[in-house]
Amino acid sequence: MNIVVLNETDASEARVALMPDSVKKLIAAKASVTIESGAGLGAARTDDQYSEVGAAIAHDRNQLLSSADVLVCVSRPAEEDFRAMKKGAVVLGFLRPLDEPAKLTPALEHGLTTFSMELVPRITRAQAMDALSSMATVAGYKAVLLGADHIPRMFPLLMTAAGTVPPARVLVLGAGVAGLQAIATARRLGAVVEAYDVRAAAGEQVRSLGGTFLEVDLGGIQTEDKGGYAVELSEEALQRGRNLIAEHAKAADVIITTAQVPGRRAPLLMDEAAVAGMKRGSIVIDLSGATGGNVRGSRPDETFERDGVQIIAPTNLPATVPVHASQLYSRNVTAFLNLLIKDGELHLDMNDDVVGPSCVTHEGSWMNQRVVEALKAIT
Ligand code: NAD
């Protein structure tokens, strides 16, 4: 069973799907691993480091594609890459099956078995494979550093002979995995942190990290589903949240927004008036840019200024911390691959409660109901 890792094709992508320590584990599980020359360099891993743990290094991308039993990637491969693979081969990575399902049609038509890290169920058994949480952790951390780097003031409270410097104020919207990491990081830097989320359970977590949880009366409506995820709110409930946020935005130096509703457009949490009410020199970092944004007018991967406030919506912060983002991702995909390997051979058990739900295409069929619905929605 030949597991292949290629150079990622997106110029801004510095992560690599497998780091050498994971390659070592896969080889111990009797798989063979071939790395395209230079694939690890963005994450500070050389060809020699891969060779030392037993990987083969190759230069011919097409030959690598055609010889792969399993292609492990960070981002979805291009259509021509799918077509260069052999029928029945496996592709594993962030394939964006819910927001861009049609881009996987070539993989379906070509008879590939595709597994998407976005679909790995968040059950206890699959915690080690939860790449969404790993990347959200990195993004939440890095967003705070971006904010701290941008604002014209320091984060911590300082008492000096020249007077007292008050701490920066950070407002975090959405206290899931990314938001909680942002709160923890901002607190470590000494900021005063407030956070808002529609899930009541988030309150305790925010407070345990030293943040203040902002509460609003949403009229006793249900805000989360059975799985603990936020549900889409009515416009009236959203507006109540927006009013509270606009009030607290006035004092904030950095606002980090992370709110998401699985499978839906990101909820709008700040309109133009809320941004206009902020102090000059402050910054809004919208981490939901890829799904429509939490801030009206934020544009994915663009920075602009409105009323003296910078608004940025970086869509791939994990790639800016490539060593640790790759390390976490690599461990997540390796844990998943271990479910597919038996005695060094590929063994696909679609009845497995992690493998089955993570599969997008197999033997020419769409395998996931949510993906089928996403496809229907665009046709
Ligand atoms: P997410 O990325 O889907 O959403 C981020 C946050 O946005 C969530 O906390 C959500 O409640 C919040 N949000 C949605 N609509 C909002 C609105 N209108 N206003 C304010 N906030 C809004 O979520 P996530 O970070 O992936 O995690 C969500 C939940 O899943 C958390 O309870 C987390 O602990 C849980 N989780 C469980 C596991 C596991 O069991 N393996 C793994 C990861 C996360």
Side-chain angles (χ1 to χ4, degrees):
M1 173 183 168
N2 185 25
I3 300 172
V4 165
V5 175
L6 300 174
N7 281 289
E8 293 288 317
T9 47
D10 188 323
S12 65
E13 185 54 79
R15 289 171 293 177
V16 62
L18 288 178
M19 293 285 263
D21 63 336
S22 300
V23 170
K24 197 173 173 179
K25 290 197 178 112
L26 290 166
I27 289 172
K30 299 192 197 139
S32 65
V33 179
T34 315
I35 307 281
E36 185 181 9
S37 178
L41 287 178
R45 296 298 180 272
T46 61
D47 290 353
D48 285 349
Q49 286 172 296
Y50 284 102
S51 297
E52 276 160 24
V53 292
I57 307 296
H59 292 81
D60 184 335
R61 189 181 173 88
N62 280 329
Q63 207 271 327
L64 274 160
L65 280 164
S66 62
S67 66
D69 296 308
V70 179
L71 174 66
V72 195
C73 46
V74 179
S75 302
R76 187 186 54 230
E79 181 174 341
E80 58 270 26
D81 289 345
F82 286 140
R83 297 202 190 281
M85 295 181 72
K86 59 188 177 197
K87 193 168 182 276
V90 168
V91 180
L92 171 65
F94 282 128
L95 306 183
R96 309 195 63 175
L98 298 176
D99 42 358
E100 293 181 338
K103 298 266 187 198
L104 291 167
T105 303
L108 172 96
E109 290 171 351
H110 198 57
L112 301 180
T113 298
T114 52
F115 291 104
S116 179
M117 293 308 284
E118 291 96 329
L119 297 179
V120 171
R122 279 170 150 180
I123 56 175
T124 308
R125 180 170 166 249
Q127 260 176 6
M129 305 158 210
D130 187 354
L132 282 182
S133 287
S134 300
M135 297 304 108
T137 299
V138 179
Y141 159 82
K142 188 63 187 275
V144 174
L145 298 194
L146 280 183
D149 190 34
H150 169 78
I151 59 171
R153 50 186 303 143
M154 292 188 282
F155 258 42
L157 166 77
L158 294 179
M159 291 187 186
T160 78
T164 300
V165 173
R169 299 188 70 90
V170 175
L171 174 59
V172 175
L173 305 179
V177 180
L180 291 174
Q181 187 55 235
I183 295 167
T185 306
R187 290 286 300 141
R188 284 185 201 116
L189 288 178
V192 169
V193 182
E194 293 183 319
Y196 172 69
D197 198 296
V198 289
R199 291 180 302 110
E204 200 178 312
Q205 292 166 326
V206 169
R207 284 188 284 269
S208 76
L209 292 170
T212 302
F213 189 59
L214 305 180
E215 288 181 75
V216 63
D217 180 6
L218 294 175
I221 57 165
Q222 188 201 338
T223 57
E224 59 186 275
D225 62 18
K226 282 194 214 109
Y229 286 96
V231 295
E232 200 166 30
L233 300 187
S234 67
E235 185 48 33
E236 193 207 329
L238 274 173
Q239 190 55 46
R240 287 192 196 189
R242 282 198 285 268
N243 293 344
L244 176 82
I245 291 163
E247 209 39 51
H248 287 261
K250 290 176 187 162
D253 298 295
V254 176
I255 297 184
I256 296 167
T257 78
T258 73
Q260 299 274 359
V261 177
R264 307 265 174 215
R265 189 195 181 285
L268 179 71
L269 300 183
M270 293 186 72
D271 55 17
E272 285 91 345
V275 175
M278 291 177 69
K279 298 186 289 193
R280 288 195 80 76
S282 54
I283 184 168
V284 182
I285 300 166
D286 185 350
L287 291 190
S288 296
T291 50
N294 294 140
V295 182
R296 171 123 42 222
S298 74
R299 304 170 204 142
D301 294 316
E302 281 187 36
T303 300
F304 66 98
E305 198 175 306
R306 198 196 286 155
D307 304 316
V309 179
Q310 289 250 343
I311 302 173
I312 67 174
T315 57
N316 193 2
L317 283 185
T320 68
V321 193
V323 169
H324 282 144
S326 300
Q327 188 178 318
L328 296 172
Y329 183 71
S330 170
R331 289 180 185 164
N332 293 143
V333 290
T334 300
F336 189 91
L337 284 169
N338 277 326
L339 300 178
L340 309 184
I341 305 173
K342 216 173 190 178
D343 296 326
E345 297 299 322
L346 194 58
H347 170 81
L348 302 181
D349 176 7
M350 293 300 171
N351 293 320
D352 181 284
D353 61 358
V354 177
V355 175
S358 309
C359 186
V360 187
T361 64
H362 180 56
E363 295 178 346
S365 299
W366 295 106
M367 298 293 283
N368 185 292
Q369 195 50 35
R370 286 163 70 202
V371 178
V372 171
E373 277 158 26
L375 275 164
K376 274 193 204 141
I378 53 168
T379 49

